[in-house]
Amino acid sequence: MSKYTAPRGTKDITPDDMPFWHYIESTSRSLFSLYNYQEIRTPVFEHTELFERGIGDSTDIVEKEMYTFSDKGDRRLTLRPEGTAPIVRAYVQHGMHSKSKVSKLYYCGPMFRYERPQAGRYRQFHQIGVESLGSALPICDAEVIAMGVHLFDELGLSGLSVAINSVGCPVCRPVIEERLKQFIGLNLEHLCGDCNRRFDSRPLRILDCKNSTCKTYMTGLPDIRDSLCHECKDHFNYVVGYLDNLGIPFQINPQLVRGLDYYTRTTFEIGSDQLGAQNALCGGGRYDGLVSQLGGPATPAVGFAFGIERAVMILQEMSDYHQRVNPLVYVAPVGFDQVAKSFLLVDRIRRAGYRVELETSKNELKTHLKQADKLNARLVLIYGEDEANVDKVLVRRMADRTQELIPFDHALEYIVSELEDDTF
RNA sequence: GUGGACGUAGCUCAGUUGGCAGAGCACCAGAUUGUGGCUCUGGUGGUCGUGGGUUCGAGCCCCAUCGUUCACCCCA
């Protein structure tokens, strides 16, 4: 073990992992553009107050999970623990509401939460998320959910399931909480400490408690949907109807509650059976009050975010996933005198758009070929004294061990035609 | 913040009641001079996470500490 290691809860994304990341990022970008979303990038740190106001003072994230510090100018700053509040801040700051009725944005980047690391959970993790601001119509909720499902289909992720719920609005939320408290209050002394603490501050979260004894007292629970106001009920039914209409499979889960305060009405989660205990790949919902709460005009909005690390985990579990890479050309000068001319050829091939490895630290053909084999090269260009004397290059096809002497100045076109031949 | 498991070579791990630090993979070099994957031979590589204690003697036992990992909590 070396003396310096990556800090607890962080990790290096090594070249071996990188193809997965590129695949997820590029697939996301092109899919989001199909839905006419545009990218936005915000700072990795913000004023602490933004998260305190936006996410909610009594949430776990704000209470104990934020990386907060003061800079040399005594500003209270926080490494962003999530993406939505900063997007909304930028939306308000740049007056985007006055540029078009609806703003459809996506983002990608690192988030930071001070938690105990675990399978699929890191202190620095990465999210890709979308936010649709400006429309209260239930079709928007459905479109956002459909976009998430579409993306994971496109990525080829299997074993996913969609859960959906409504947590109500400022009108009916108090009613829901009151009914819940009436029901739970009967057995409050039997519930765990966390649940007792949440009874007053965040009663909805008791629904989500994993404690098995608490769960037993949840049977016979009044369905949260019965307490929704008419508008919320209608909204929910439309969302569900649109999803049915698209044939997207989902489950209504009345226990599904999000840990962030800003959610209203629709909440949803896309989970995987391949992630261990932290099985949520993607979470999101509607947040109609956040923009005005952060000083903007009353603006309804809906969005989601998913964890890239968790998506990578699922891809790596899938054995049939295979990455396509460009073929490699390995150039083997035999002898120092042949290096300069080889370099010239290498330059031509690269400018033609092909991947080339030039190895000059080996002087034996045998070790060159071993190395080329290890790098999985498709072609090896052998250029030694014999070739230099007749101004030719020996082009060897590794797959069938055949080779051909090509005049140096015609080598490029020959190599290109070999590489374009996709029979390998 | 709480609980369990684990820290030995670059990687995966053996290591007996406490008695010379090991294997496989990987890497490097060879098996007669310019032809790779298989095979064979040899080699590089470790302050046994760190600090203390017990002992003639500790990779092994005890304490502490740091880290990794899984789970709780919470979330992506």
Side-chain angles (χ1 to χ4, degrees):
Chain A
M1 184 69 78
S2 51
K3 182 176 178 183
Y4 296 108
T5 56
R8 185 172 172 77
T10 69
K11 65 166 189 164
D12 301 309
I13 303 154
T14 59
D16 286 344
D17 294 336
M18 206 53 83
F20 293 100
W21 285 70
H22 286 328
Y23 174 63
I24 290 166
E25 287 168 14
S26 62
T27 304
S28 300
R29 284 178 205 283
S30 53
L31 187 127
F32 293 158
S33 84
L34 295 182
Y35 288 78
N36 201 27
Y37 277 66
Q38 292 179 300
E39 183 171 6
I40 182 170
R41 300 189 191 189
T42 63
V44 287
F45 56 84
E46 296 273 356
H47 291 290
T48 302
E49 198 188 344
L50 173 68
F51 300 116
E52 289 170 346
R53 294 285 312 275
I55 300 172
D57 272 328
S58 64
T59 57
D60 279 14
I61 290 178
V62 172
E63 274 185 350
K64 52 184 195 191
E65 295 178 1
M66 295 207 301
Y67 278 94
T68 295
F69 59 98
S70 299
D71 72 3
K72 290 178 192 284
D74 268 338
R75 282 170 279 259
R76 297 259 301 151
L77 302 171
T78 294
L79 299 181
R80 62 181 180 200
E82 60 101 41
T84 300
I87 300 298
V88 171
R89 192 227 78 225
Y91 174 85
V92 174
Q93 182 174 337
H94 300 292
M96 292 187 195
H97 60 277
S98 62
K99 289 171 184 155
S100 63
K101 170 110 175 75
V102 177
S103 296
K104 299 198 285 187
L105 305 169
Y106 76 87
Y107 61 91
C108 170
M111 307 291 162
F112 305 84
R113 291 181 201 170
Y114 188 87
E115 298 179 274
R116 283 283 277 267
Q118 190 182 328
R121 194 174 66 195
Y122 303 94
R123 290 183 171 180
Q124 174 175 338
F125 60 103
H126 297 76
Q127 284 187 333
I128 294 177
V130 304
E131 314 290 352
S132 170
L133 302 109
S135 172
L137 295 174
I139 186 74
C140 281
D141 308 41
E143 193 184 38
V144 162
I145 295 170
M147 181 163 58
V149 172
H150 187 176
L151 174 59
F152 299 130
D153 282 346
E154 194 69 26
L155 287 170
L157 302 185
S158 52
L160 299 184
S161 55
V162 181
I164 179 170
N165 190 28
S166 175
V167 294
C169 65
V171 175
C172 52
R173 178 83 57 84
V175 180
I176 295 170
E177 292 184 340
E178 198 44 51
R179 286 215 202 164
L180 202 57
K181 284 165 84 166
Q182 279 176 14
F183 176 82
I184 294 168
L186 302 172
N187 297 304
L188 193 57
E189 69 263 33
H190 301 298
L191 301 184
C192 71
D194 283 332
C195 286
N196 271 279
R197 223 173 319 113
R198 293 191 186 115
F199 185 77
D200 288 314
S201 59
R202 306 166 53 71
L204 275 179
R205 284 224 49 88
I206 297 179
L207 291 177
D208 208 27
C209 187
K210 310 288 194 297
N211 186 304
S212 55
T213 52
C214 291
K215 275 182 173 174
T216 61
Y217 289 102
M218 294 300 148
T219 51
L221 189 77
D223 192 324
I224 195 171
R225 283 169 292 166
D226 293 337
S227 311
L228 293 174
C229 63
H230 275 306
E231 287 78 6
C232 285
K233 242 181 230 174
D234 280 352
H235 187 94
F236 187 70
N237 288 334
Y238 270 111
V239 174
V240 165
Y242 290 136
L243 292 177
D244 277 333
N245 184 48
L246 286 188
I248 290 174
F250 62 89
Q251 290 188 319
I252 295 173
N253 178 0
Q255 318 258 110
L256 178 67
V257 180
R258 313 253 84 227
L260 290 74
D261 276 352
Y262 51 64
Y263 285 112
T264 56
R265 294 191 167 168
T266 311
T267 59
F268 70 97
E269 195 169 286
I270 300 178
S272 164
D273 50 16
Q274 296 172 69
L275 283 177
Q278 308 304 316
N279 62 358
L281 168 65
C282 173
R286 179 164 278 285
Y287 47 97
D288 289 342
L290 184 59
V291 178
S292 59
Q293 195 187 340
L294 293 179
T299 307
V302 56
F304 72 72
F306 72 94
I308 301 181
E309 283 84 353
R310 293 184 183 179
V312 169
M313 282 174 74
I314 297 172
L315 282 177
Q316 287 174 333
E317 285 298 311
M318 293 167 34
S319 52
D320 58 341
Y321 176 78
H322 221 61
Q323 189 78 20
R324 272 188 69 101
V325 289
N326 290 328
L328 178 71
V329 178
Y330 181 100
V331 176
V334 185
F336 178 77
D337 291 344
Q338 272 57 249
V339 168
K341 201 79 185 289
S342 300
F343 193 20
L344 173 62
L345 181 58
V346 165
D347 187 61
R348 287 180 186 170
I349 304 168
R350 285 178 180 153
R351 284 175 186 274
Y354 297 93
R355 192 160 63 106
V356 183
E357 177 75 27
L358 172 63
E359 175 62 79
T360 59
S361 70
K362 300 188 179 357
N363 277 319
E364 263 186 88
L365 187 56
K366 186 197 246 180
T367 47
H368 267 308
L369 287 168
K370 268 189 181 175
Q371 181 71 5
D373 188 55
K374 197 170 61 185
L375 294 177
N376 207 15
R378 185 183 295 181
L379 296 178
V380 174
L381 311 188
I382 299 165
Y383 189 71
E385 207 176 333
D386 298 350
E387 289 77 14
N389 286 337
V390 294
D391 198 29
K392 290 182 176 176
V393 178
L394 189 55
V395 180
R396 182 175 179 84
R397 297 198 291 189
M398 291 299 274
D400 57 12
R401 296 169 166 256
T402 58
Q403 54 193 27
E404 196 165 344
L405 261 178
I406 307 295
F408 192 91
D409 285 327
H410 298 302
L412 178 62
E413 47 192 289
Y414 180 84
I415 290 158
V416 167
S417 71
E418 279 293 318
L419 292 173
E420 291 300 307
D421 180 5
D422 215 9
T423 53
F424 289 94

